[in-house]
Amino acid sequence: TTTVRPPCVRCAGNTRQSVGQRSHTIMRMSSQGTPTSTCTSTAASTVSIAASRRGLDPSTNRFHAPIVYHERYSFDGWPASHTFPMDKFERTAHALTTTCKATHPQSSNLPRPLVRNGDTDFFRPLDFADVPRSWLAKPTGPIDATFFDSFVSGQLDYEHCRYIGFRQQTSRPELIERTVLEVAGTVLTAQLAHQWGIASNVAGGTHHAHPSGGAGYTILNDLAVTANFLTDEVLNGETVKGINKVLVIDLDVHQGDGTAKFDLGNSRLSTLSIHCASNYPHPKQLSTYDIGLPDKVRDKEYMEILESSVNKALHEVEPDFVLYDAGVDVYENDTLGRINISLDGIRARDRFVLEKCVNAGIPVAAVVGGGYDKDVDALARRHAIIHEESAYVWRKYRMWEQ
């Protein structure tokens, strides 16, 4: 059964001609104005999952849960001095295909790399030109249409770009593309988690972006977009059914202030944010549950707070689905962190959240969230933890038998 997709991000709203002519765009319009694509993957056009390429078949995959990655999450030419490590996504994918006890004995106990073949084993989200605009922008998406169209056309004003933190980089075609791909990746991750119980994205967690603007190195909020997608069966083409309430568990060191500003109505979106109280942003927003941690909190206290907070939120919200922001900027040596969680603490945190959801029968889709380090390879290995812990849960509960 095929799904008729609405116009892509380039083909509706206030799209500028100059953007449509950019070299990386593969969208072409039929004479009736219906978008068509050079993509030939049946997975991209059926009601199953919104993928441009399927990864390793979960029903036969004994190694790891489904992992989503697009090679254009990162791109060349990013300023080396910029605080945001744009190449961390590519480095994380590389870490997943190379890190094991033999190559990194101090940080890995894996007998072999988690992902055997980076060219075929990752699920790949829709290509940029195939992402439906209606997923993201109003009237059916949750993002203000004027802001969205200004961003994808490279026409945001100086103040928007400054507040996002990317300044003159914000209008780069590569940045626009990877921003949309990241959101599409989280949507695909959620579809896979709905089918198999658990999945993870090598990007995502853009939780400072709010309905009418970006902030804190995030532009389009993938968590809000995905929650909206999951709970709207007309929008998702009935690829996901029975999801009425989504809980975002946000464990990035910074409050998920942008996500808290989204009101999807009918209690479709609830948010739990456990963050460093003194850290960005200022002022904080009102999440469903806010836990502000003191500076320098360590593993034991952190885990006690985490367990009680997650248990309370799951009990009270009774979600049908969990989106998990597994930011690693809680790490004790993170450039922007302020709290002191060890690598073992991050691993224990991720395992607790994932197992809690799986044991409760709640599908969980994980995203990588924030993390900052001049040593981007070391940062990438920290981001790999959420995928490794997803794999642990996948194997422990034999989730390929779902």
Side-chain angles (χ1 to χ4, degrees):
T1 305
T2 59
T3 299
V4 179
R5 287 197 309 249
C8 76
V9 294
R10 295 295 196 196
C11 301
N14 190 25
T15 306
R16 305 296 199 275
Q17 180 69 19
S18 61
V19 176
Q21 293 173 338
R22 286 176 177 155
S23 60
H24 66 268
T25 302
I26 63 171
M27 179 61 64
R28 62 181 184 272
M29 300 296 294
S30 71
S31 59
Q32 290 78 29
T34 302
T36 59
S37 170
T38 57
C39 174
T40 58
S41 169
T42 57
S45 59
T46 66
V47 297
S48 53
I49 54 173
S52 61
R53 186 191 67 226
R54 291 178 178 271
L56 199 61
D57 183 356
S59 68
T60 59
N61 183 355
R62 305 297 190 267
F63 304 113
H64 56 80
I67 304 174
V68 173
Y69 173 67
H70 197 293
E71 68 277 6
R72 291 188 178 177
Y73 281 171
S74 296
F75 57 88
D76 294 334
W78 188 251
S81 60
H82 201 286
T83 302
F84 188 84
M86 188 60 72
D87 56 345
K88 74 174 185 175
F89 311 104
E90 179 183 16
R91 304 282 189 94
T92 301
H94 178 72
L96 291 170
T97 61
T98 59
T99 299
C100 61
K101 190 171 184 178
T103 59
H104 296 89
Q106 294 181 335
S107 61
S108 178
N109 291 318
L110 295 174
R112 48 163 287 267
L114 187 65
V115 177
R116 290 190 171 185
N117 189 327
D119 293 328
T120 61
D121 291 359
F122 293 120
F123 283 80
R124 188 175 183 269
L126 293 178
D127 286 314
F128 173 69
D130 295 327
V131 179
R133 181 181 184 276
S134 61
W135 287 5
L136 298 99
K138 292 180 178 181
T140 51
I143 297 171
D144 177 81
T146 299
F147 166 72
F148 178 80
D149 291 330
S150 294
F151 167 64
V152 297
S153 62
Q155 300 293 322
L156 283 181
D157 61 33
Y158 172 82
E159 193 60 23
H160 267 113
C161 297
R162 185 192 68 80
Y163 202 66
I164 288 167
F166 294 148
R167 297 184 183 266
Q168 68 270 26
Q169 303 295 323
T170 312
S171 61
R172 287 182 62 174
E174 303 95 330
L175 181 65
I176 295 168
E177 179 177 26
R178 66 95 32 215
T179 300
V180 172
L181 289 175
E182 182 172 43
V183 178
T186 302
V187 169
L188 172 58
T189 304
Q191 288 181 310
L192 289 163
H194 181 254
Q195 290 186 16
W196 298 98
I198 189 171
S200 56
N201 187 8
V202 180
T206 50
H207 63 166
H208 298 307
H210 53 89
S212 58
Y217 307 141
T218 67
I219 304 173
L220 305 176
N221 192 308
D222 65 312
L223 302 169
V225 168
T226 302
N228 183 67
F229 177 89
L230 289 170
T231 56
D232 186 338
E233 292 182 12
V234 174
L235 180 63
N236 69 46
E238 297 188 344
T239 60
V240 177
K241 294 183 178 181
I243 304 300
N244 298 309
K245 294 187 291 184
V246 175
L247 172 65
V248 172
I249 298 178
D250 190 337
L251 302 186
D252 190 283
V253 79
H254 306 103
Q255 191 209 30
D257 60 318
T259 314
K261 288 185 175 183
F262 283 86
D263 180 7
L264 302 185
N266 298 319
S267 301
R268 290 193 292 152
L269 174 62
S270 300
T271 53
L272 164 64
S273 180
I274 303 178
H275 50 266
C276 178
S278 71
N279 213 326
Y280 176 91
H282 303 290
K284 302 291 190 287
Q285 299 300 315
L286 184 63
S287 308
T288 312
Y289 305 92
D290 280 305
I291 311 296
L293 302 172
D295 288 13
K296 303 185 185 304
V297 68
R298 294 189 177 275
D299 292 4
K300 185 176 183 297
E301 182 182 1
Y302 180 82
M303 285 301 298
E304 290 173 353
I305 295 170
L306 169 69
E307 291 177 14
S308 64
S309 301
V310 169
N311 287 336
K312 176 181 173 67
L314 290 176
H315 174 72
E316 294 182 352
V317 175
E318 296 184 319
D320 304 305
F321 198 99
V322 166
L323 294 171
Y324 174 39
D325 186 336
V328 297
D329 41 12
V330 297
Y331 178 57
E332 56 194 346
N333 294 322
D334 188 271
T335 305
L336 303 181
R338 298 189 187 175
I339 64 175
N340 295 335
I341 308 305
S342 68
L343 292 176
D344 287 342
I346 292 172
R347 194 172 293 279
R349 175 199 72 170
D350 291 350
R351 185 172 297 187
F352 171 79
V353 172
L354 297 173
E355 281 206 276
K356 190 71 181 179
C357 293
V358 169
N359 281 324
I362 304 169
V364 55
V367 296
V368 298
Y372 302 88
D373 196 322
K374 292 298 183 184
D375 185 343
V376 182
D377 287 321
L379 172 61
R381 289 192 291 274
R382 293 198 288 277
H383 279 307
I385 290 173
I386 183 57
H387 308 290
E388 294 167 0
E389 290 306 309
S390 295
Y392 169 84
V393 173
W394 178 261
R395 294 190 299 268
K396 179 177 178 178
Y397 295 96
R398 299 177 64 85
M399 298 185 71
W400 56 85
E401 297 176 351
Q402 296 286 328

mmCIF file of all heavy atoms in Angstrom, residues 171-209:
data_model
loop_
_atom_site.group_PDB
_atom_site.id
_atom_site.type_symbol
_atom_site.label_atom_id
_atom_site.label_comp_id
_atom_site.label_asym_id
_atom_site.label_seq_id
_atom_site.Cartn_x
_atom_site.Cartn_y
_atom_site.Cartn_z
ATOM 1 N N SER A 171 22.604 30.073 7.272
ATOM 2 C CA SER A 171 22.010 30.041 5.933
ATOM 3 C C SER A 171 22.730 29.085 4.985
ATOM 4 O O SER A 171 22.335 28.962 3.821
ATOM 5 C CB SER A 171 22.023 31.454 5.322
ATOM 6 O OG SER A 171 23.354 31.929 5.192
ATOM 7 N N ARG A 172 23.749 28.397 5.466
ATOM 8 C CA ARG A 172 24.462 27.466 4.590
ATOM 9 C C ARG A 172 23.546 26.321 4.172
ATOM 10 O O ARG A 172 22.858 25.721 5.011
ATOM 11 C CB ARG A 172 25.688 26.894 5.301
ATOM 12 C CG ARG A 172 26.819 27.884 5.455
ATOM 13 C CD ARG A 172 28.024 27.240 6.118
ATOM 14 N NE ARG A 172 28.569 26.142 5.329
ATOM 15 C CZ ARG A 172 29.700 25.496 5.651
ATOM 16 N NH1 ARG A 172 30.365 25.855 6.747
ATOM 17 N NH2 ARG A 172 30.134 24.513 4.906
ATOM 18 N N PRO A 173 23.508 25.976 2.882
ATOM 19 C CA PRO A 173 22.658 24.855 2.430
ATOM 20 C C PRO A 173 22.936 23.562 3.182
ATOM 21 O O PRO A 173 22.015 22.802 3.469
ATOM 22 C CB PRO A 173 23.012 24.731 0.946
ATOM 23 C CG PRO A 173 23.498 26.082 0.550
ATOM 24 C CD PRO A 173 24.212 26.635 1.753
ATOM 25 N N GLU A 174 24.212 23.325 3.512
ATOM 26 C CA GLU A 174 24.559 22.085 4.214
ATOM 27 C C GLU A 174 23.939 22.035 5.608
ATOM 28 O O GLU A 174 23.494 20.978 6.074
ATOM 29 C CB GLU A 174 26.077 21.934 4.338
ATOM 30 C CG GLU A 174 26.821 21.952 3.017
ATOM 31 C CD GLU A 174 27.348 23.341 2.666
ATOM 32 O OE1 GLU A 174 26.709 24.341 3.073
ATOM 33 O OE2 GLU A 174 28.387 23.419 1.984
ATOM 34 N N LEU A 175 23.914 23.181 6.284
ATOM 35 C CA LEU A 175 23.336 23.224 7.622
ATOM 36 C C LEU A 175 21.820 23.079 7.559
ATOM 37 O O LEU A 175 21.214 22.382 8.380
ATOM 38 C CB LEU A 175 23.704 24.522 8.329
ATOM 39 C CG LEU A 175 23.154 24.652 9.758
ATOM 40 C CD1 LEU A 175 23.779 23.596 10.669
ATOM 41 C CD2 LEU A 175 23.392 26.042 10.325
ATOM 42 N N ILE A 176 21.195 23.728 6.591
ATOM 43 C CA ILE A 176 19.748 23.597 6.413
ATOM 44 C C ILE A 176 19.395 22.133 6.156
ATOM 45 O O ILE A 176 18.468 21.578 6.760
ATOM 46 C CB ILE A 176 19.271 24.495 5.259
ATOM 47 C CG1 ILE A 176 19.485 25.973 5.609
ATOM 48 C CG2 ILE A 176 17.799 24.220 4.931
ATOM 49 C CD1 ILE A 176 19.309 26.926 4.441
ATOM 50 N N GLU A 177 20.148 21.505 5.277
ATOM 51 C CA GLU A 177 19.885 20.105 4.942
ATOM 52 C C GLU A 177 20.043 19.196 6.151
ATOM 53 O O GLU A 177 19.153 18.389 6.451
ATOM 54 C CB GLU A 177 20.822 19.657 3.824
ATOM 55 C CG GLU A 177 20.628 18.195 3.431
ATOM 56 C CD GLU A 177 21.507 17.786 2.268
ATOM 57 O OE1 GLU A 177 22.575 18.408 2.071
ATOM 58 O OE2 GLU A 177 21.133 16.832 1.557
ATOM 59 N N ARG A 178 21.151 19.312 6.870
ATOM 60 C CA ARG A 178 21.378 18.383 7.980
ATOM 61 C C ARG A 178 20.386 18.616 9.118
ATOM 62 O O ARG A 178 20.030 17.689 9.838
ATOM 63 C CB ARG A 178 22.816 18.443 8.481
ATOM 64 C CG ARG A 178 23.315 19.708 9.133
ATOM 65 C CD ARG A 178 23.245 19.784 10.638
ATOM 66 N NE ARG A 178 23.408 18.521 11.286
ATOM 67 C CZ ARG A 178 22.771 18.179 12.392
ATOM 68 N NH1 ARG A 178 21.927 19.038 12.957
ATOM 69 N NH2 ARG A 178 22.955 17.010 12.944
ATOM 70 N N THR A 179 19.899 19.845 9.260
ATOM 71 C CA THR A 179 18.905 20.132 10.292
ATOM 72 C C THR A 179 17.602 19.398 10.015
ATOM 73 O O THR A 179 16.997 18.810 10.915
ATOM 74 C CB THR A 179 18.663 21.650 10.380
ATOM 75 O OG1 THR A 179 19.884 22.312 10.717
ATOM 76 C CG2 THR A 179 17.615 21.977 11.425
ATOM 77 N N VAL A 180 17.161 19.413 8.770
ATOM 78 C CA VAL A 180 15.945 18.700 8.389
ATOM 79 C C VAL A 180 16.164 17.189 8.456
ATOM 80 O O VAL A 180 15.292 16.436 8.927
ATOM 81 C CB VAL A 180 15.481 19.137 6.988
ATOM 82 C CG1 VAL A 180 14.326 18.270 6.488
ATOM 83 C CG2 VAL A 180 15.078 20.609 6.995
ATOM 84 N N LEU A 181 17.327 16.729 8.014
ATOM 85 C CA LEU A 181 17.627 15.293 8.057
ATOM 86 C C LEU A 181 17.598 14.766 9.484
ATOM 87 O O LEU A 181 17.140 13.639 9.738
ATOM 88 C CB LEU A 181 18.999 15.026 7.439
ATOM 89 C CG LEU A 181 19.128 15.191 5.928
ATOM 90 C CD1 LEU A 181 20.580 15.008 5.502
ATOM 91 C CD2 LEU A 181 18.225 14.214 5.189
ATOM 92 N N GLU A 182 18.107 15.550 10.420
ATOM 93 C CA GLU A 182 18.133 15.144 11.820
ATOM 94 C C GLU A 182 16.718 14.891 12.347
ATOM 95 O O GLU A 182 16.467 13.905 13.058
ATOM 96 C CB GLU A 182 18.824 16.235 12.633
ATOM 97 C CG GLU A 182 18.971 15.961 14.101
ATOM 98 C CD GLU A 182 19.844 17.017 14.767
ATOM 99 O OE1 GLU A 182 19.676 18.219 14.471
ATOM 100 O OE2 GLU A 182 20.706 16.639 15.571
ATOM 101 N N VAL A 183 15.790 15.778 11.983
ATOM 102 C CA VAL A 183 14.398 15.605 12.395
ATOM 103 C C VAL A 183 13.810 14.361 11.732
ATOM 104 O O VAL A 183 13.144 13.537 12.391
ATOM 105 C CB VAL A 183 13.567 16.849 12.054
ATOM 106 C CG1 VAL A 183 12.111 16.639 12.447
ATOM 107 C CG2 VAL A 183 14.131 18.086 12.741
ATOM 108 N N ALA A 184 14.053 14.199 10.451
ATOM 109 C CA ALA A 184 13.565 13.017 9.739
ATOM 110 C C ALA A 184 14.138 11.745 10.352
ATOM 111 O O ALA A 184 13.454 10.713 10.408
ATOM 112 C CB ALA A 184 13.925 13.107 8.261
ATOM 113 N N GLY A 185 15.366 11.828 10.826
ATOM 114 C CA GLY A 185 15.995 10.674 11.466
ATOM 115 C C GLY A 185 15.302 10.279 12.756
ATOM 116 O O GLY A 185 15.129 9.088 13.052
ATOM 117 N N THR A 186 14.885 11.262 13.544
ATOM 118 C CA THR A 186 14.177 10.941 14.780
ATOM 119 C C THR A 186 12.788 10.396 14.496
ATOM 120 O O THR A 186 12.313 9.487 15.194
ATOM 121 C CB THR A 186 14.127 12.172 15.699
ATOM 122 O OG1 THR A 186 15.467 12.598 15.982
ATOM 123 C CG2 THR A 186 13.437 11.853 17.016
ATOM 124 N N VAL A 187 12.131 10.905 13.469
ATOM 125 C CA VAL A 187 10.837 10.341 13.062
ATOM 126 C C VAL A 187 11.005 8.875 12.680
ATOM 127 O O VAL A 187 10.232 8.005 13.116
ATOM 128 C CB VAL A 187 10.230 11.151 11.901
ATOM 129 C CG1 VAL A 187 9.028 10.416 11.303
ATOM 130 C CG2 VAL A 187 9.812 12.537 12.370
ATOM 131 N N LEU A 188 12.011 8.576 11.876
ATOM 132 C CA LEU A 188 12.272 7.186 11.475
ATOM 133 C C LEU A 188 12.611 6.328 12.688
ATOM 134 O O LEU A 188 12.139 5.185 12.816
ATOM 135 C CB LEU A 188 13.401 7.142 10.445
ATOM 136 C CG LEU A 188 13.918 5.752 10.058
ATOM 137 C CD1 LEU A 188 12.792 4.875 9.499
ATOM 138 C CD2 LEU A 188 15.065 5.876 9.042
ATOM 139 N N THR A 189 13.421 6.860 13.596
ATOM 140 C CA THR A 189 13.776 6.128 14.813
ATOM 141 C C THR A 189 12.522 5.770 15.607
ATOM 142 O O THR A 189 12.385 4.649 16.123
ATOM 143 C CB THR A 189 14.728 6.968 15.681
ATOM 144 O OG1 THR A 189 15.881 7.331 14.909
ATOM 145 C CG2 THR A 189 15.182 6.190 16.911
ATOM 146 N N ALA A 190 11.594 6.702 15.694
ATOM 147 C CA ALA A 190 10.346 6.452 16.418
ATOM 148 C C ALA A 190 9.510 5.386 15.720
ATOM 149 O O ALA A 190 8.896 4.540 16.377
ATOM 150 C CB ALA A 190 9.556 7.748 16.556
ATOM 151 N N GLN A 191 9.456 5.423 14.400
ATOM 152 C CA GLN A 191 8.721 4.386 13.674
ATOM 153 C C GLN A 191 9.314 3.007 13.941
ATOM 154 O O GLN A 191 8.587 2.028 14.154
ATOM 155 C CB GLN A 191 8.738 4.680 12.177
ATOM 156 C CG GLN A 191 7.872 5.855 11.751
ATOM 157 C CD GLN A 191 7.914 6.068 10.246
ATOM 158 O OE1 GLN A 191 8.987 6.135 9.653
ATOM 159 N NE2 GLN A 191 6.747 6.162 9.636
ATOM 160 N N LEU A 192 10.628 2.931 13.944
ATOM 161 C CA LEU A 192 11.305 1.652 14.216
ATOM 162 C C LEU A 192 11.071 1.196 15.648
ATOM 163 O O LEU A 192 10.844 0.012 15.913
ATOM 164 C CB LEU A 192 12.800 1.784 13.925
ATOM 165 C CG LEU A 192 13.168 1.901 12.440
ATOM 166 C CD1 LEU A 192 14.586 2.428 12.276
ATOM 167 C CD2 LEU A 192 13.017 0.539 11.754
ATOM 168 N N ALA A 193 11.126 2.137 16.581
ATOM 169 C CA ALA A 193 10.861 1.792 17.980
ATOM 170 C C ALA A 193 9.428 1.325 18.167
ATOM 171 O O ALA A 193 9.156 0.418 18.970
ATOM 172 C CB ALA A 193 11.157 2.985 18.879
ATOM 173 N N HIS A 194 8.501 1.927 17.434
ATOM 174 C CA HIS A 194 7.106 1.500 17.524
ATOM 175 C C HIS A 194 6.959 0.060 17.054
ATOM 176 O O HIS A 194 6.169 -0.715 17.608
ATOM 177 C CB HIS A 194 6.231 2.431 16.682
ATOM 178 C CG HIS A 194 4.777 2.098 16.724
ATOM 179 N ND1 HIS A 194 4.124 1.503 15.665
ATOM 180 C CD2 HIS A 194 3.841 2.259 17.696
ATOM 181 C CE1 HIS A 194 2.853 1.316 15.978
ATOM 182 N NE2 HIS A 194 2.658 1.777 17.209
ATOM 183 N N GLN A 195 7.721 -0.329 16.043
ATOM 184 C CA GLN A 195 7.651 -1.684 15.516
ATOM 185 C C GLN A 195 8.399 -2.689 16.378
ATOM 186 O O GLN A 195 7.944 -3.818 16.575
ATOM 187 C CB GLN A 195 8.218 -1.725 14.094
ATOM 188 C CG GLN A 195 7.372 -1.035 13.049
ATOM 189 C CD GLN A 195 7.920 -1.235 11.639
ATOM 190 O OE1 GLN A 195 8.744 -2.109 11.400
ATOM 191 N NE2 GLN A 195 7.465 -0.413 10.706
ATOM 192 N N TRP A 196 9.572 -2.273 16.908
ATOM 193 C CA TRP A 196 10.482 -3.231 17.540
ATOM 194 C C TRP A 196 10.717 -2.977 19.020
ATOM 195 O O TRP A 196 11.416 -3.750 19.671
ATOM 196 C CB TRP A 196 11.815 -3.233 16.786
ATOM 197 C CG TRP A 196 11.640 -3.672 15.378
ATOM 198 C CD1 TRP A 196 11.524 -2.895 14.266
ATOM 199 C CD2 TRP A 196 11.502 -5.028 14.929
ATOM 200 N NE1 TRP A 196 11.327 -3.663 13.149
ATOM 201 C CE2 TRP A 196 11.313 -4.980 13.524
ATOM 202 C CE3 TRP A 196 11.538 -6.262 15.568
ATOM 203 C CZ2 TRP A 196 11.148 -6.133 12.766
ATOM 204 C CZ3 TRP A 196 11.371 -7.416 14.806
ATOM 205 C CH2 TRP A 196 11.186 -7.341 13.420
ATOM 206 N N GLY A 197 10.162 -1.916 19.562
ATOM 207 C CA GLY A 197 10.271 -1.649 20.985
ATOM 208 C C GLY A 197 11.369 -0.694 21.373
ATOM 209 O O GLY A 197 11.271 -0.004 22.389
ATOM 210 N N ILE A 198 12.433 -0.612 20.567
ATOM 211 C CA ILE A 198 13.563 0.251 20.886
ATOM 212 C C ILE A 198 14.342 0.552 19.614
ATOM 213 O O ILE A 198 14.455 -0.293 18.721
ATOM 214 C CB ILE A 198 14.480 -0.433 21.944
ATOM 215 C CG1 ILE A 198 15.550 0.521 22.463
ATOM 216 C CG2 ILE A 198 15.098 -1.706 21.390
ATOM 217 C CD1 ILE A 198 16.331 -0.051 23.652
ATOM 218 N N ALA A 199 14.843 1.788 19.511
ATOM 219 C CA ALA A 199 15.700 2.185 18.389
ATOM 220 C C ALA A 199 16.426 3.463 18.802
ATOM 221 O O ALA A 199 16.041 4.127 19.772
ATOM 222 C CB ALA A 199 14.879 2.428 17.119
ATOM 223 N N SER A 200 17.489 3.806 18.068
ATOM 224 C CA SER A 200 18.274 4.991 18.424
ATOM 225 C C SER A 200 18.719 5.731 17.176
ATOM 226 O O SER A 200 18.908 5.137 16.111
ATOM 227 C CB SER A 200 19.492 4.608 19.273
ATOM 228 O OG SER A 200 20.296 3.640 18.606
ATOM 229 N N ASN A 201 18.873 7.048 17.335
ATOM 230 C CA ASN A 201 19.316 7.930 16.255
ATOM 231 C C ASN A 201 20.716 8.441 16.582
ATOM 232 O O ASN A 201 21.001 8.785 17.737
ATOM 233 C CB ASN A 201 18.335 9.108 16.119
ATOM 234 C CG ASN A 201 18.614 9.990 14.911
ATOM 235 O OD1 ASN A 201 19.451 9.673 14.067
ATOM 236 N ND2 ASN A 201 17.899 11.111 14.829
ATOM 237 N N VAL A 202 21.587 8.532 15.601
ATOM 238 C CA VAL A 202 22.952 9.032 15.797
ATOM 239 C C VAL A 202 22.964 10.560 15.865
ATOM 240 O O VAL A 202 24.017 11.170 16.012
ATOM 241 C CB VAL A 202 23.884 8.483 14.702
ATOM 242 C CG1 VAL A 202 25.320 8.965 14.856
ATOM 243 C CG2 VAL A 202 23.877 6.959 14.731
ATOM 244 N N ALA A 203 21.820 11.187 15.816
ATOM 245 C CA ALA A 203 21.681 12.639 15.982
ATOM 246 C C ALA A 203 20.435 12.887 16.838
ATOM 247 O O ALA A 203 19.915 11.981 17.476
ATOM 248 C CB ALA A 203 21.589 13.329 14.624
ATOM 249 N N GLY A 204 19.954 14.140 16.843
ATOM 250 C CA GLY A 204 18.705 14.468 17.518
ATOM 251 C C GLY A 204 18.873 14.961 18.942
ATOM 252 O O GLY A 204 19.957 14.903 19.525
ATOM 253 N N GLY A 205 17.764 15.452 19.475
ATOM 254 C CA GLY A 205 17.770 16.036 20.804
ATOM 255 C C GLY A 205 17.872 17.544 20.759
ATOM 256 O O GLY A 205 18.469 18.171 21.634
ATOM 257 N N THR A 206 17.224 18.151 19.773
ATOM 258 C CA THR A 206 17.326 19.602 19.546
ATOM 259 C C THR A 206 16.304 20.340 20.417
ATOM 260 O O THR A 206 15.393 21.000 19.930
ATOM 261 C CB THR A 206 17.131 19.924 18.057
ATOM 262 O OG1 THR A 206 15.948 19.272 17.577
ATOM 263 C CG2 THR A 206 18.307 19.424 17.243
ATOM 264 N N HIS A 207 16.509 20.257 21.721
ATOM 265 C CA HIS A 207 15.475 20.589 22.694
ATOM 266 C C HIS A 207 15.395 22.055 23.083
ATOM 267 O O HIS A 207 14.509 22.421 23.859
ATOM 268 C CB HIS A 207 15.674 19.722 23.952
ATOM 269 C CG HIS A 207 16.973 19.971 24.663
ATOM 270 N ND1 HIS A 207 17.209 19.512 25.936
ATOM 271 C CD2 HIS A 207 18.110 20.624 24.285
ATOM 272 C CE1 HIS A 207 18.431 19.864 26.320
ATOM 273 N NE2 HIS A 207 18.983 20.527 25.330
ATOM 274 N N HIS A 208 16.285 22.895 22.588
ATOM 275 C CA HIS A 208 16.165 24.336 22.859
ATOM 276 C C HIS A 208 15.313 25.049 21.815
ATOM 277 O O HIS A 208 14.837 26.162 22.060
ATOM 278 C CB HIS A 208 17.538 25.004 22.921
ATOM 279 C CG HIS A 208 18.416 24.486 24.012
ATOM 280 N ND1 HIS A 208 18.012 24.436 25.319
ATOM 281 C CD2 HIS A 208 19.688 23.985 23.984
ATOM 282 C CE1 HIS A 208 18.983 23.928 26.064
ATOM 283 N NE2 HIS A 208 20.003 23.647 25.271
ATOM 284 N N ALA A 209 15.125 24.428 20.663
ATOM 285 C CA ALA A 209 14.307 25.034 19.607
ATOM 286 C C ALA A 209 12.852 25.054 20.043
ATOM 287 O O ALA A 209 12.322 24.066 20.554
ATOM 288 C CB ALA A 209 14.468 24.251 18.310
#
